Amino acid sequence: MWVEGLKLEIQYFDTLPSTQKYLVEKIKNKTLQAPIAVQAFDQSAGIGSRDNDWTGGEGNFFASVAIDLSDLPEDLSLSSASIYFSYMMKKVLCEVGENIWFKWPNDFYKNDEKVGGTITQNVHNTLVCGIGINLKKSQNGYSALQSDISPKILLKKYLEALEKFPKWKQVFSEFEIEFELSRKFSVHIENYQKSLGDAQLCNDGSLIIGGKKVYSLR
């Protein structure tokens, strides 16, 4: 299926081990090229943060999108991509009535419970962004939104939002305010948990924690 305007192909699968692994492999061996999106309606071995599994079940959202780096906003650095693509999805979910916020660097939260996450990889000058969100079922140790939106419709809305490619500066100005919600949480950095309470958010989306600069790309 093709999305009008974006000129982006979507490949649908009933199930895949991982949309991210599938698309990264296809980009590496040049059997697929950006722009393209892959969506699975079930996923058995998805990739979460720090190589954890992100599996789910039917009704949940599993998709990966590949976009050529040259098509990204000029002011978007690769180190900011995880926040950019995640926050765009957060905005789409809020627009369809979901109470959700984005925790640095790549997690979706409802209140104090994680419901999803993002992973980004640079492969042959192509950014591959994978997103997993528990829309209906909680089968991976995290909470779920109990949302009525279908995964297929959510992906289309997300791609329509990406088509506009707002500048990083615009996205960051909104995220900078929301970042305050992250301060009561911690984050894993080099196998250690670090509090975000006193972290300094930089203009490129990185943080300064304990005098050390930490980037969001993962």
Side-chain angles (χ1 to χ4, degrees), residues 42-57:
D42 199 356
Q43 184 170 264
S44 58
I47 307 172
S49 299
R50 305 181 309 281
D51 293 325
N52 292 328
D53 288 342
W54 187 271
T55 58

Side-chain angles (χ1 to χ4, degrees), residues 8-88:
L8 183 149
E9 181 186 2
I10 306 177
Q11 292 188 356
Y12 297 108
F13 296 86
D14 289 334
T15 183
L16 278 176
S18 163
T19 61
Q20 188 75 355
K21 289 178 181 177
Y22 174 86
L23 191 49
V24 166
E25 180 180 342
K26 294 296 183 181
I27 296 293
K28 282 182 176 179
N29 63 31
K30 299 182 180 181
T31 54
L32 291 176
Q33 63 181 17
I36 189 168
V38 171
Q39 183 168 43
F41 300 112
D42 199 356
Q43 184 170 264
S44 58
I47 307 172
S49 299
R50 305 181 309 281
D51 293 325
N52 292 328
D53 288 342
W54 187 271
T55 58
E58 264 190 84
N60 289 335
F61 183 87
F62 313 103
S64 292
V65 183
I67 297 175
D68 194 280
L69 295 184
S70 64
D71 290 331
L72 298 177
E74 291 182 0
D75 68 337
L76 177 64
S77 66
L78 193 58
S79 62
S80 309
S82 180
I83 291 174
Y84 183 90
F85 281 85
S86 300
Y87 198 80
M88 292 290 288

Side-chain angles (χ1 to χ4, degrees), residues 22-195:
Y22 174 86
L23 191 49
V24 166
E25 180 180 342
K26 294 296 183 181
I27 296 293
K28 282 182 176 179
N29 63 31
K30 299 182 180 181
T31 54
L32 291 176
Q33 63 181 17
I36 189 168
V38 171
Q39 183 168 43
F41 300 112
D42 199 356
Q43 184 170 264
S44 58
I47 307 172
S49 299
R50 305 181 309 281
D51 293 325
N52 292 328
D53 288 342
W54 187 271
T55 58
E58 264 190 84
N60 289 335
F61 183 87
F62 313 103
S64 292
V65 183
I67 297 175
D68 194 280
L69 295 184
S70 64
D71 290 331
L72 298 177
E74 291 182 0
D75 68 337
L76 177 64
S77 66
L78 193 58
S79 62
S80 309
S82 180
I83 291 174
Y84 183 90
F85 281 85
S86 300
Y87 198 80
M88 292 290 288
M89 173 58 85
K90 175 264 177 184
K91 291 184 63 166
V92 170
L93 285 164
C94 287
E95 286 169 3
V96 299
E98 296 299 334
N99 178 24
I100 192 170
W101 63 278
F102 171 61
K103 172 184 169 289
W104 193 96
N106 64 334
D107 293 328
F108 302 105
Y109 270 67
K110 181 177 182 180
N111 300 320
D112 289 344
E113 296 184 301
K114 181 176 175 177
V115 295
T118 303
I119 186 168
T120 48
Q121 294 172 258
N122 179 18
V123 183
H124 299 331
N125 292 318
T126 298
L127 185 73
V128 184
C129 173
I131 301 180
I133 304 172
N134 290 343
L135 295 178
K136 295 186 181 298
K137 300 177 181 178
S138 177
Q139 296 185 188
N140 44 30
Y142 297 101
S143 187
L145 291 176
Q146 305 301 324
S147 176
D148 290 330
I149 191 169
S150 76
K152 185 178 283 190
I153 291 175
L154 179 57
L155 178 59
K156 288 181 181 179
K157 287 184 176 294
Y158 181 58
L159 295 176
E160 288 169 0
L162 285 182
E163 182 182 0
K164 301 172 185 176
F165 278 126
K167 291 186 177 298
W168 162 250
K169 183 178 179 180
Q170 177 183 337
V171 172
F172 178 75
S173 67
E174 297 180 27
F175 171 65
E176 188 175 17
I177 298 171
E178 187 163 296
F179 177 73
E180 295 304 311
L181 296 173
S182 294
R183 291 196 180 278
K184 63 180 179 180
F185 292 86
S186 61
V187 65
H188 281 87
I189 299 173
E190 296 178 349
N191 297 320
Y192 294 96
Q193 274 199 320
K194 300 287 187 179
S195 170

